[in-house]
Amino acid sequence: VALGLYFPRKEYLENVYIDEPAGTPLLRIHALRDSREEVAHFHLCRSLTVPRARPEENNWFQIREETGLLYLNKSLDREDFNMLSVGNRMPLSKVILYVFLSSHPFQEKECDSATRTAVFLSLINATAPACSSLTARQLCFTEMDLSFHIKENKPPGTFHQLRLPSVHHLCRNLSISYKLLTGEGVPFRYNENTTGVRVTQRLDREERERYELIAKCTVREGLREMQVEVPFLVNVLDEDDSPPFLPNGTDTADAVVEFNRKEGTVLSSLTVYDADTTPIYPLESSRKKYTGTIITEDPWISRTFRVEHIFDEIHFSPNGSQVRGTRHDY
């Protein structure tokens, strides 16, 4: 079943300072495709969610429908800050925007798309700090972990941009460059010109379900050079695409029944492995995936014998990488 476009991150974080000019880029949001012919369209709904207050109409933020670039549509002044901080005396106020995703251009009032991601904006009651006062970590990366979820068996595509649009816009006198440190044969590619990170091929969770890379950033200002490295993690999301398998290839087990067996005696057992899924909750949904049935027309057999099904999580190690799966015992 094609589920359509999706976001590789569940949420985004960014800071917004007072009096930053209209047109200032804030962050870039990416989408990945379910099928090759899809084209992503991004859309913001008209209201801002303000914690502990009623929603406000969004007059300040806009997104480019084709590129996912979120930017300031209007400068945020102190009066705006006071209104959005709803009596909050702190120098910081948080608001939430929801970005929606569609494979066709959005109609004006269309905000019911199930595919959305949350953008948490910290509104800071101060003007933007001077670039020279920021640490390499602040110039290179947001406070958020670089952690992504990519579905298996989906087309390649760019899913993150390392360069921070706001820093690139404000700190033009600094040279900020990136590298993605990867192992051999890892299906991710960094583009120096765009600073985009791309998944280069369809992933298979049954081969590997987690990639641990490192993003390295170098900041140069005159003769001064600073470097910072952060983990860059990709988790592969499962699709139910692998059939179960039997450890020794046999799908039958002989049972010898002797007289005077006590109730609860195990007469025979059969094991089935499923590399595709892990035990999920509620447990009944895992139990229903495979059922064990005695095929008989003899009511005495149906009353006297039963099949018990127990299952638990196990680990497979294809290519030396640990992948979770399930063992079903009958």
Side-chain angles (χ1 to χ4, degrees):
V1 179
L3 297 173
L5 296 156
Y6 68 98
F7 291 106
R9 303 190 87 163
K10 291 187 172 67
E11 57 189 44
Y12 291 80
L13 302 178
E14 190 50 74
N15 295 333
V16 181
Y17 295 91
I18 280 180
D19 295 334
E20 284 188 280
T24 300
L26 298 175
L27 61 92
R28 177 83 189 274
I29 292 172
H30 289 83
L32 286 171
R33 296 171 298 163
D34 193 83
S35 58
R36 283 187 181 276
E37 56 278 4
E38 284 178 318
V39 177
H41 295 267
F42 301 89
H43 183 62
L44 274 183
C45 280
R46 289 195 157 205
S47 62
L48 280 173
T49 302
V50 183
R52 301 181 306 281
R54 61 182 177 77
E56 288 283 350
E57 187 165 344
N58 171 25
N59 297 314
W60 301 273
F61 307 101
Q62 195 47 266
I63 196 164
R64 299 206 189 285
E65 186 171 319
E66 292 80 18
T67 63
L69 182 71
L70 185 74
Y71 63 94
L72 268 174
N73 191 41
K74 172 185 179 292
S75 184
L76 184 83
D77 60 27
R78 284 184 199 281
E79 200 175 307
D80 297 329
F81 177 86
N82 291 339
M83 182 178 79
L84 291 170
S85 59
V86 285
N88 179 356
R89 298 188 179 279
M90 304 294 285
L92 179 148
S93 181
K94 275 195 163 53
V95 297
I96 307 165
L97 284 171
Y98 291 103
V99 177
F100 291 81
L101 189 55
S102 174
S103 56
H104 58 81
F106 273 90
Q107 305 305 312
E108 184 57 36
K109 294 181 179 173
E110 188 176 9
C111 282
D112 56 355
S113 161
T115 312
R116 72 175 193 179
T117 190
V119 179
F120 293 84
L121 296 171
S122 295
L123 310 183
I124 296 169
N125 191 9
T127 53
C131 297
S132 56
S133 70
L134 296 174
T135 63
R137 180 75 171 77
Q138 291 169 316
L139 289 164
C140 293
F141 305 107
T142 65
E143 296 158 31
M144 196 177 178
D145 292 342
L146 291 181
S147 180
F148 306 89
H149 296 85
I150 297 180
K151 295 180 181 179
E152 68 170 339
N153 305 322
K154 303 303 177 195
T158 300
F159 62 94
H160 183 62
Q161 184 182 40
L162 284 168
R163 181 173 63 212
L164 303 181
S166 54
V167 171
H168 182 65
H169 181 73
L170 294 168
C171 304
R172 296 175 189 272
N173 61 330
L174 294 179
S175 163
I176 302 174
S177 59
Y178 295 89
K179 275 186 180 171
L180 191 64
L181 308 181
T182 66
E184 282 294 310
V186 170
F188 303 102
R189 196 72 63 247
Y190 170 66
N191 182 325
E192 278 188 22
N193 298 323
T194 64
T195 74
V197 182
R198 178 179 178 80
V199 54
T200 57
Q201 65 190 53
R202 292 171 185 262
L203 304 180
D204 183 353
R205 192 202 71 91
E206 287 72 64
E207 288 294 321
R208 186 164 175 177
E209 68 172 326
R210 186 174 167 88
Y211 294 87
E212 299 182 13
L213 317 173
I214 290 173
K216 179 180 179 179
C217 176
T218 304
V219 181
R220 293 184 186 85
E221 185 182 18
L223 297 173
R224 199 163 66 114
E225 183 176 294
M226 299 179 286
Q227 292 187 335
V228 60
E229 294 182 0
V230 297
F232 188 103
L233 308 175
V234 178
N235 295 289
V236 185
L237 295 181
D238 191 58
E239 190 175 60
D240 199 353
D241 64 333
S242 298
F245 63 95
L246 300 141
N248 55 5
T250 179
D251 62 356
T252 55
D254 293 329
V256 177
V257 185
E258 298 174 346
F259 285 103
N260 298 327
R261 297 292 91 187
K262 287 183 179 176
E263 184 180 343
T265 301
V266 176
L267 303 170
S268 184
S269 65
L270 190 66
T271 299
V272 180
Y273 289 123
D274 186 351
D276 207 38
T277 53
T278 59
I280 53 172
Y281 297 91
L283 289 177
E284 278 313 301
S285 55
S286 276
R287 205 178 298 282
K288 284 173 188 165
K289 186 171 182 185
Y290 304 119
T291 56
T293 310
I294 299 175
I295 301 171
T296 179
E297 293 177 1
D298 185 334
W300 178 80
I301 290 178
S302 299
R303 287 195 307 272
T304 311
F305 302 97
R306 71 174 185 268
V307 177
E308 284 202 351
H309 176 198
I310 23 181
F311 52 91
D312 51 11
E313 184 173 292
I314 56 166
H315 288 91
F316 301 98
S317 297
N319 307 324
S321 163
Q322 274 211 339
V323 173
R324 292 171 303 151
T326 310
R327 182 180 63 220
H328 297 264
D329 288 312
Y330 297 91

